[in-house]
Amino acid sequence: MQVFTCAELMTAAHALGGQVDFDAGMADATSVLAGWQQVHAVDDGVVLYLSRSRDMVGGSSHNRLAPGITAGFLVDGEADVAIGRHRLRLEGAQRRMPTMLVHLREEDSFRRHWQAGRQEGKVSLHLSDDWLRRQLDGDVTDRERLARVCRSHADNHAWRPGAPLLQRATRLLQDAPQALPLVRRLQQESFALELAADVLQALSQEDEARPLSAHLQRCVSRLQQWLESGEADALSITQMARQLGTNAVDLQRGFQHCHGQSIAHHQRQLRLER
């Protein structure tokens, strides 16, 4: 098990494009962490982090998180972190404690609180906003479902990886030092994509499950009248939403919720009928 000094850990973070700054008073030669960490860039904008470590000091360190979605959980052990002003205390999966699933609109601070002797086996996945936009290009429904999430900042969303993902994560953390490089890379890549799918599915269902407000219900009802009369034929969805006193994302979500299809699809059907 490798032991990192304060200086070595900061150098390793810089080599990966990050930055770790300990609170004042930590000497460069101080041994701070025992264990291993691996970072795998699965795609441009998809990065998987795996680590198994033990704190050798107390205190706290600072880093920066890039914009996008970050999901993380512990296979075992404990962690105490803060993203911006939001503090999260995580524990191993078997204890059914909170996971981390946040979206950042812009770069924000990440603080890790250290406690000598504390151990953790951690999995973290980062999906950049640019990667999300590329994947959802042309997929109007999914893009609109995730649009609200991507407007949020540092809110921890409800999510829990299923048993198969937890089992795979456990194996990856156990086998990391021994696996052949090619096998290891393929295992990490397939796991990261499966984890990404699970995270995006959870966020999509969270948006679907949100009840419609009374105002949005009135907007959808009024829009249906416009569509049936032809009054909305010359309007874009953004213009419809503006005139109804809402926004395009909410209007599309509300209409999909009430009618089971998009506004554009429903409008095409009505035009054909007329």
Side-chain angles (χ1 to χ4, degrees):
M1 181 175 287
Q2 185 176 358
V3 175
F4 293 87
T5 65
C6 179
E8 288 170 340
L9 192 61
M10 288 191 288
T11 299
H14 282 297
L16 296 170
Q19 180 175 339
V20 174
D21 296 315
F22 283 89
D23 287 344
M26 188 75 69
D28 286 349
T30 303
S31 297
V32 295
L33 189 75
W36 56 264
Q37 300 185 29
Q38 292 189 350
V39 181
H40 182 56
V42 177
D43 194 2
D44 183 15
V46 181
V47 183
L48 177 69
Y49 302 84
L50 300 170
S51 70
R52 182 171 288 285
S53 60
R54 175 172 56 84
D55 293 353
M56 301 181 72
V57 296
S60 62
S61 61
H62 307 266
N63 202 345
R64 303 295 294 178
L65 283 182
I69 293 173
T70 296
F73 61 92
L74 300 186
V75 169
D76 52 53
E78 301 176 359
D80 185 356
V81 301
I83 299 174
R85 294 174 297 174
H86 301 269
R87 189 165 180 174
L88 302 171
R89 291 177 174 83
L90 309 177
E91 296 189 31
Q94 299 304 316
R95 302 186 189 181
R96 299 185 178 277
M97 294 300 286
T99 54
M100 178 174 70
L101 177 54
V102 300
H103 176 266
L104 300 182
R105 291 194 306 270
E106 57 192 25
E107 184 182 73
D108 207 340
S109 63
F110 176 83
R111 176 187 288 263
R112 184 179 187 273
H113 299 273
W114 298 61
Q115 180 179 318
R118 186 165 59 196
Q119 300 186 59
E120 65 176 44
K122 181 174 64 179
V123 174
S124 180
L125 179 72
H126 178 75
L127 307 174
S128 74
D129 282 344
D130 285 341
W131 181 85
L132 283 171
R133 279 191 286 269
R134 291 197 303 272
Q135 304 310 309
L136 298 174
D137 184 33
D139 193 334
V140 177
T141 301
D142 282 348
R143 188 170 65 244
E144 289 170 348
R145 285 177 179 175
L146 291 170
R148 183 185 299 275
V149 171
C150 291
R151 291 202 300 270
S152 68
H153 183 78
D155 295 331
N156 195 32
H157 298 268
W159 167 70
R160 179 175 170 79
L165 279 172
L166 290 174
Q167 291 168 3
R168 290 191 65 185
T170 301
R171 288 197 297 270
L172 284 175
L173 290 175
Q174 289 173 342
D175 300 340
Q178 290 81 26
L180 294 173
L182 175 60
V183 173
R184 180 69 179 166
R185 179 171 61 80
L186 294 174
Q187 289 174 337
Q188 289 180 341
E189 183 170 323
S190 63
F191 172 75
L193 294 177
E194 185 179 349
L195 181 57
D198 193 73
V199 165
L200 294 178
Q201 179 70 14
L203 292 174
S204 176
Q205 289 176 342
E206 176 186 275
D207 188 75
E208 275 189 313
R210 186 183 301 109
L212 302 186
S213 67
H215 173 67
L216 187 54
Q217 291 179 37
R218 289 193 296 270
C219 290
V220 170
S221 177
R222 182 62 178 148
L223 175 59
Q224 176 64 11
Q225 295 173 11
W226 288 2
L227 293 172
E228 290 177 350
S229 68
E231 292 180 67
D233 284 358
L235 300 176
S236 68
I237 294 176
T238 299
Q239 290 170 328
M240 297 175 197
R242 188 179 299 118
Q243 292 193 27
L244 290 166
T246 184
N247 63 75
V249 172
D250 282 348
L251 187 62
Q252 186 73 270
R253 178 178 71 89
F255 196 88
Q256 183 85 29
H257 178 88
C258 293
H259 298 280
Q261 56 186 194
S262 69
I263 296 171
H265 182 74
H266 189 69
Q267 193 171 29
R268 283 195 297 271
Q269 285 186 325
L270 291 173
R271 283 173 176 169
L272 287 171
E273 290 172 4
R274 288 202 298 269

